[in-house]
PDB file of all heavy atoms in Angstrom:
ATOM      1  N   GLU A 402      62.098  82.009  69.818  1.00 97.00           N
ATOM      2  CA  GLU A 402      61.378  82.669  70.893  1.00 97.00           C
ATOM      3  C   GLU A 402      60.049  83.226  70.363  1.00 97.00           C
ATOM      4  O   GLU A 402      59.026  83.188  71.060  1.00 97.00           O
ATOM      5  CB  GLU A 402      62.230  83.795  71.505  1.00 97.00           C
ATOM      6  CG  GLU A 402      61.555  84.617  72.595  1.00 97.00           C
ATOM      7  CD  GLU A 402      61.403  83.881  73.928  1.00 97.00           C
ATOM      8  OE1 GLU A 402      61.748  82.683  73.999  1.00 97.00           O
ATOM      9  OE2 GLU A 402      60.924  84.511  74.884  1.00 97.00           O
ATOM     10  N   THR A 403      60.056  83.710  69.136  1.00 97.00           N
ATOM     11  CA  THR A 403      58.835  84.236  68.525  1.00 97.00           C
ATOM     12  C   THR A 403      57.754  83.147  68.451  1.00 97.00           C
ATOM     13  O   THR A 403      56.577  83.390  68.740  1.00 97.00           O
ATOM     14  CB  THR A 403      59.144  84.771  67.104  1.00 97.00           C
ATOM     15  OG1 THR A 403      60.063  85.862  67.230  1.00 97.00           O
ATOM     16  CG2 THR A 403      57.881  85.254  66.409  1.00 97.00           C
ATOM     17  N   ARG A 404      58.172  81.935  68.111  1.00 97.00           N
ATOM     18  CA  ARG A 404      57.210  80.822  68.090  1.00 97.00           C
ATOM     19  C   ARG A 404      56.701  80.545  69.494  1.00 97.00           C
ATOM     20  O   ARG A 404      55.506  80.325  69.694  1.00 97.00           O
ATOM     21  CB  ARG A 404      57.859  79.562  67.500  1.00 97.00           C
ATOM     22  CG  ARG A 404      57.889  79.551  65.984  1.00 97.00           C
ATOM     23  CD  ARG A 404      58.302  78.174  65.432  1.00 97.00           C
ATOM     24  NE  ARG A 404      59.684  77.827  65.788  1.00 97.00           N
ATOM     25  CZ  ARG A 404      60.752  78.223  65.080  1.00 97.00           C
ATOM     26  NH1 ARG A 404      60.610  78.970  63.991  1.00 97.00           N
ATOM     27  NH2 ARG A 404      61.968  77.861  65.453  1.00 97.00           N
ATOM     28  N   ARG A 405      57.583  80.577  70.488  1.00 96.00           N
ATOM     29  CA  ARG A 405      57.171  80.269  71.858  1.00 96.00           C
ATOM     30  C   ARG A 405      56.199  81.304  72.406  1.00 96.00           C
ATOM     31  O   ARG A 405      55.219  80.957  73.079  1.00 96.00           O
ATOM     32  CB  ARG A 405      58.397  80.197  72.785  1.00 96.00           C
ATOM     33  CG  ARG A 405      58.067  79.758  74.203  1.00 96.00           C
ATOM     34  CD  ARG A 405      59.274  79.778  75.129  1.00 96.00           C
ATOM     35  NE  ARG A 405      59.643  81.120  75.558  1.00 96.00           N
ATOM     36  CZ  ARG A 405      59.095  81.769  76.585  1.00 96.00           C
ATOM     37  NH1 ARG A 405      58.141  81.188  77.290  1.00 96.00           N
ATOM     38  NH2 ARG A 405      59.477  82.985  76.893  1.00 96.00           N
ATOM     39  N   ILE A 406      56.455  82.579  72.103  1.00 97.00           N
ATOM     40  CA  ILE A 406      55.641  83.631  72.726  1.00 97.00           C
ATOM     41  C   ILE A 406      54.523  84.129  71.811  1.00 97.00           C
ATOM     42  O   ILE A 406      53.786  85.044  72.160  1.00 97.00           O
ATOM     43  CB  ILE A 406      56.507  84.817  73.192  1.00 97.00           C
ATOM     44  CG1 ILE A 406      57.231  85.475  72.008  1.00 97.00           C
ATOM     45  CG2 ILE A 406      57.521  84.373  74.245  1.00 97.00           C
ATOM     46  CD1 ILE A 406      58.049  86.718  72.401  1.00 97.00           C
ATOM     47  N   GLY A 407      54.390  83.529  70.626  1.00 97.00           N
ATOM     48  CA  GLY A 407      53.213  83.798  69.810  1.00 97.00           C
ATOM     49  C   GLY A 407      53.233  85.067  68.991  1.00 97.00           C
ATOM     50  O   GLY A 407      52.221  85.403  68.345  1.00 97.00           O
ATOM     51  N   ARG A 408      54.316  85.796  69.004  1.00 98.00           N
ATOM     52  CA  ARG A 408      54.420  87.003  68.164  1.00 98.00           C
ATOM     53  C   ARG A 408      55.867  87.457  68.153  1.00 98.00           C
ATOM     54  O   ARG A 408      56.654  87.065  68.995  1.00 98.00           O
ATOM     55  CB  ARG A 408      53.500  88.125  68.671  1.00 98.00           C
ATOM     56  CG  ARG A 408      54.074  89.012  69.754  1.00 98.00           C
ATOM     57  CD  ARG A 408      54.158  88.334  71.129  1.00 98.00           C
ATOM     58  NE  ARG A 408      54.607  89.261  72.160  1.00 98.00           N
ATOM     59  CZ  ARG A 408      54.912  88.934  73.396  1.00 98.00           C
ATOM     60  NH1 ARG A 408      54.869  87.664  73.821  1.00 98.00           N
ATOM     61  NH2 ARG A 408      55.290  89.836  74.256  1.00 98.00           N
ATOM     62  N   ARG A 409      56.190  88.310  67.161  1.00 98.00           N
ATOM     63  CA  ARG A 409      57.530  88.919  67.128  1.00 98.00           C
ATOM     64  C   ARG A 409      57.529  90.066  68.127  1.00 98.00           C
ATOM     65  O   ARG A 409      56.793  91.030  67.978  1.00 98.00           O
ATOM     66  CB  ARG A 409      57.829  89.443  65.721  1.00 98.00           C
ATOM     67  CG  ARG A 409      59.225  89.996  65.541  1.00 98.00           C
ATOM     68  CD  ARG A 409      60.315  88.943  65.497  1.00 98.00           C
ATOM     69  NE  ARG A 409      60.148  88.027  64.364  1.00 98.00           N
ATOM     70  CZ  ARG A 409      61.021  87.080  64.028  1.00 98.00           C
ATOM     71  NH1 ARG A 409      62.131  86.905  64.739  1.00 98.00           N
ATOM     72  NH2 ARG A 409      60.780  86.285  62.998  1.00 98.00           N
ATOM     73  N   ASP A 410      58.337  89.918  69.160  1.00 98.00           N
ATOM     74  CA  ASP A 410      58.354  90.925  70.224  1.00 98.00           C
ATOM     75  C   ASP A 410      59.511  91.888  70.017  1.00 98.00           C
ATOM     76  O   ASP A 410      60.673  91.481  69.935  1.00 98.00           O
ATOM     77  CB  ASP A 410      58.483  90.242  71.597  1.00 98.00           C
ATOM     78  CG  ASP A 410      58.330  91.218  72.749  1.00 98.00           C
ATOM     79  OD1 ASP A 410      57.526  92.174  72.618  1.00 98.00           O
ATOM     80  OD2 ASP A 410      58.991  91.023  73.775  1.00 98.00           O
ATOM     81  N   ILE A 411      59.176  93.159  69.907  1.00 98.00           N
ATOM     82  CA  ILE A 411      60.220  94.192  69.863  1.00 98.00           C
ATOM     83  C   ILE A 411      60.405  94.715  71.280  1.00 98.00           C
ATOM     84  O   ILE A 411      59.427  95.027  71.967  1.00 98.00           O
ATOM     85  CB  ILE A 411      59.830  95.319  68.891  1.00 98.00           C
ATOM     86  CG1 ILE A 411      59.725  94.734  67.477  1.00 98.00           C
ATOM     87  CG2 ILE A 411      60.845  96.448  68.928  1.00 98.00           C
ATOM     88  CD1 ILE A 411      59.024  95.638  66.503  1.00 98.00           C
ATOM     89  N   LEU A 412      61.653  94.734  71.688  1.00 98.00           N
ATOM     90  CA  LEU A 412      61.972  95.070  73.072  1.00 98.00           C
ATOM     91  C   LEU A 412      62.793  96.356  73.108  1.00 98.00           C
ATOM     92  O   LEU A 412      63.721  96.522  72.330  1.00 98.00           O
ATOM     93  CB  LEU A 412      62.812  93.935  73.679  1.00 98.00           C
ATOM     94  CG  LEU A 412      63.612  94.284  74.937  1.00 98.00           C
ATOM     95  CD1 LEU A 412      62.716  94.261  76.166  1.00 98.00           C
ATOM     96  CD2 LEU A 412      64.788  93.337  75.108  1.00 98.00           C
ATOM     97  N   VAL A 413      62.437  97.251  73.997  1.00 98.00           N
ATOM     98  CA  VAL A 413      63.309  98.393  74.282  1.00 98.00           C
ATOM     99  C   VAL A 413      63.636  98.358  75.763  1.00 98.00           C
ATOM    100  O   VAL A 413      62.738  98.301  76.609  1.00 98.00           O
ATOM    101  CB  VAL A 413      62.659  99.747  73.923  1.00 98.00           C
ATOM    102  CG1 VAL A 413      63.703 100.867  74.000  1.00 98.00           C
ATOM    103  CG2 VAL A 413      62.021  99.704  72.551  1.00 98.00           C
ATOM    104  N   ALA A 414      64.937  98.357  76.099  1.00 98.00           N
ATOM    105  CA  ALA A 414      65.369  98.369  77.501  1.00 98.00           C
ATOM    106  C   ALA A 414      66.088  99.680  77.763  1.00 98.00           C
ATOM    107  O   ALA A 414      67.002 100.062  77.021  1.00 98.00           O
ATOM    108  CB  ALA A 414      66.301  97.191  77.778  1.00 98.00           C
ATOM    109  N   TRP A 415      65.650 100.376  78.806  1.00 98.00           N
ATOM    110  CA  TRP A 415      66.239 101.681  79.151  1.00 98.00           C
ATOM    111  C   TRP A 415      67.053 101.545  80.420  1.00 98.00           C
ATOM    112  O   TRP A 415      66.588 100.993  81.419  1.00 98.00           O
ATOM    113  CB  TRP A 415      65.138 102.722  79.345  1.00 98.00           C
ATOM    114  CG  TRP A 415      64.399 103.035  78.076  1.00 98.00           C
ATOM    115  CD1 TRP A 415      63.287 102.420  77.608  1.00 98.00           C
ATOM    116  CD2 TRP A 415      64.742 104.046  77.113  1.00 98.00           C
ATOM    117  NE1 TRP A 415      62.906 102.968  76.403  1.00 98.00           N
ATOM    118  CE2 TRP A 415      63.786 103.981  76.076  1.00 98.00           C
ATOM    119  CE3 TRP A 415      65.768 104.995  77.018  1.00 98.00           C
ATOM    120  CZ2 TRP A 415      63.817 104.820  74.973  1.00 98.00           C
ATOM    121  CZ3 TRP A 415      65.796 105.835  75.915  1.00 98.00           C
ATOM    122  CH2 TRP A 415      64.829 105.746  74.900  1.00 98.00           C
ATOM    123  N   ARG A 416      68.249 102.097  80.379  1.00 95.00           N
ATOM    124  CA  ARG A 416      69.109 102.051  81.541  1.00 95.00           C
ATOM    125  C   ARG A 416      68.686 103.089  82.572  1.00 95.00           C
ATOM    126  O   ARG A 416      68.362 104.220  82.241  1.00 95.00           O
ATOM    127  CB  ARG A 416      70.564 102.333  81.133  1.00 95.00           C
ATOM    128  CG  ARG A 416      71.583 102.148  82.251  1.00 95.00           C
ATOM    129  CD  ARG A 416      73.008 102.294  81.740  1.00 95.00           C
ATOM    130  NE  ARG A 416      73.254 103.613  81.217  1.00 95.00           N
ATOM    131  CZ  ARG A 416      73.550 104.681  81.955  1.00 95.00           C
ATOM    132  NH1 ARG A 416      73.633 104.559  83.275  1.00 95.00           N
ATOM    133  NH2 ARG A 416      73.748 105.852  81.400  1.00 95.00           N
ATOM    134  N   GLY A 417      68.684 102.701  83.835  1.00 88.00           N
ATOM    135  CA  GLY A 417      68.479 103.670  84.889  1.00 88.00           C
ATOM    136  C   GLY A 417      69.774 104.425  85.135  1.00 88.00           C
ATOM    137  O   GLY A 417      70.861 103.940  84.837  1.00 88.00           O
ATOM    138  N   THR A 418      69.661 105.593  85.638  1.00 72.00           N
ATOM    139  CA  THR A 418      70.865 106.308  86.036  1.00 72.00           C
ATOM    140  C   THR A 418      70.791 106.463  87.550  1.00 72.00           C
ATOM    141  O   THR A 418      69.958 105.840  88.189  1.00 72.00           O
ATOM    142  CB  THR A 418      70.942 107.681  85.360  1.00 72.00           C
ATOM    143  OG1 THR A 418      69.837 108.456  85.823  1.00 72.00           O
ATOM    144  CG2 THR A 418      70.856 107.537  83.869  1.00 72.00           C
ATOM    145  N   VAL A 419      71.655 107.260  88.111  1.00 55.00           N
ATOM    146  CA  VAL A 419      71.595 107.420  89.557  1.00 55.00           C
ATOM    147  C   VAL A 419      70.231 107.955  89.953  1.00 55.00           C
ATOM    148  O   VAL A 419      69.609 108.708  89.233  1.00 55.00           O
ATOM    149  CB  VAL A 419      72.707 108.366  90.071  1.00 55.00           C
ATOM    150  CG1 VAL A 419      74.039 107.687  89.960  1.00 55.00           C
ATOM    151  CG2 VAL A 419      72.688 109.671  89.336  1.00 55.00           C
ATOM    152  N   ALA A 420      69.808 107.552  91.097  1.00 49.00           N
ATOM    153  CA  ALA A 420      68.486 107.960  91.554  1.00 49.00           C
ATOM    154  C   ALA A 420      68.468 109.470  91.785  1.00 49.00           C
ATOM    155  O   ALA A 420      69.404 110.026  92.346  1.00 49.00           O
ATOM    156  CB  ALA A 420      68.139 107.240  92.846  1.00 49.00           C
ATOM    157  N   PRO A 421      67.446 110.102  91.356  1.00 44.00           N
ATOM    158  CA  PRO A 421      67.445 111.557  91.295  1.00 44.00           C
ATOM    159  C   PRO A 421      66.902 112.197  92.558  1.00 44.00           C
ATOM    160  O   PRO A 421      65.855 112.831  92.534  1.00 44.00           O
ATOM    161  CB  PRO A 421      66.509 111.831  90.121  1.00 44.00           C
ATOM    162  CG  PRO A 421      65.509 110.706  90.219  1.00 44.00           C
ATOM    163  CD  PRO A 421      66.215 109.546  90.830  1.00 44.00           C
ATOM    164  N   SER A 422      67.602 112.037  93.650  1.00 50.00           N
ATOM    165  CA  SER A 422      67.067 112.637  94.865  1.00 50.00           C
ATOM    166  C   SER A 422      67.024 114.158  94.727  1.00 50.00           C
ATOM    167  O   SER A 422      66.118 114.807  95.202  1.00 50.00           O
ATOM    168  CB  SER A 422      67.906 112.249  96.077  1.00 50.00           C
ATOM    169  OG  SER A 422      69.147 112.896  96.039  1.00 50.00           O
ATOM    170  N   GLU A 423      68.034 114.681  94.004  1.00 49.00           N
ATOM    171  CA  GLU A 423      68.029 116.130  93.823  1.00 49.00           C
ATOM    172  C   GLU A 423      66.850 116.564  92.956  1.00 49.00           C
ATOM    173  O   GLU A 423      66.373 117.684  93.078  1.00 49.00           O
ATOM    174  CB  GLU A 423      69.315 116.620  93.161  1.00 49.00           C
ATOM    175  CG  GLU A 423      70.563 116.386  93.986  1.00 49.00           C
ATOM    176  CD  GLU A 423      71.174 115.042  93.700  1.00 49.00           C
ATOM    177  OE1 GLU A 423      70.487 114.204  93.062  1.00 49.00           O
ATOM    178  OE2 GLU A 423      72.309 114.804  94.107  1.00 49.00           O
ATOM    179  N   TRP A 424      66.431 115.694  92.068  1.00 52.00           N
ATOM    180  CA  TRP A 424      65.354 116.055  91.169  1.00 52.00           C
ATOM    181  C   TRP A 424      64.094 116.426  91.932  1.00 52.00           C
ATOM    182  O   TRP A 424      63.329 117.263  91.529  1.00 52.00           O
ATOM    183  CB  TRP A 424      65.037 114.904  90.223  1.00 52.00           C
ATOM    184  CG  TRP A 424      66.125 114.630  89.264  1.00 52.00           C
ATOM    185  CD1 TRP A 424      67.432 114.999  89.381  1.00 52.00           C
ATOM    186  CD2 TRP A 424      66.009 113.943  88.039  1.00 52.00           C
ATOM    187  NE1 TRP A 424      68.138 114.572  88.302  1.00 52.00           N
ATOM    188  CE2 TRP A 424      67.292 113.917  87.465  1.00 52.00           C
ATOM    189  CE3 TRP A 424      64.959 113.338  87.356  1.00 52.00           C
ATOM    190  CZ2 TRP A 424      67.537 113.321  86.244  1.00 52.00           C
ATOM    191  CZ3 TRP A 424      65.204 112.735  86.148  1.00 52.00           C
ATOM    192  CH2 TRP A 424      66.489 112.725  85.601  1.00 52.00           C
ATOM    193  N   TYR A 425      63.920 115.727  93.019  1.00 50.00           N
ATOM    194  CA  TYR A 425      62.714 115.983  93.770  1.00 50.00           C
ATOM    195  C   TYR A 425      62.640 117.451  94.147  1.00 50.00           C
ATOM    196  O   TYR A 425      61.619 118.105  93.961  1.00 50.00           O
ATOM    197  CB  TYR A 425      62.666 115.127  95.033  1.00 50.00           C
ATOM    198  CG  TYR A 425      61.569 115.563  95.945  1.00 50.00           C
ATOM    199  CD1 TYR A 425      60.243 115.330  95.601  1.00 50.00           C
ATOM    200  CD2 TYR A 425      61.850 116.261  97.116  1.00 50.00           C
ATOM    201  CE1 TYR A 425      59.217 115.770  96.420  1.00 50.00           C
ATOM    202  CE2 TYR A 425      60.836 116.697  97.922  1.00 50.00           C
ATOM    203  CZ  TYR A 425      59.517 116.448  97.577  1.00 50.00           C
ATOM    204  OH  TYR A 425      58.517 116.896  98.369  1.00 50.00           O
TER     205      TYR A 425
END
Side-chain angles (χ1 to χ4, degrees):
Chain A
E402 177 73 356
T403 297
R404 279 191 295 275
R405 185 184 76 84
I406 61 177
R408 86 287 185 188
R409 184 73 62 174
D410 187 35
I411 297 165
L412 161 80
V413 190
W415 293 90
R416 187 174 62 81
T418 64
V419 289
S422 71
E423 296 89 346
W424 292 20
Y425 169 71

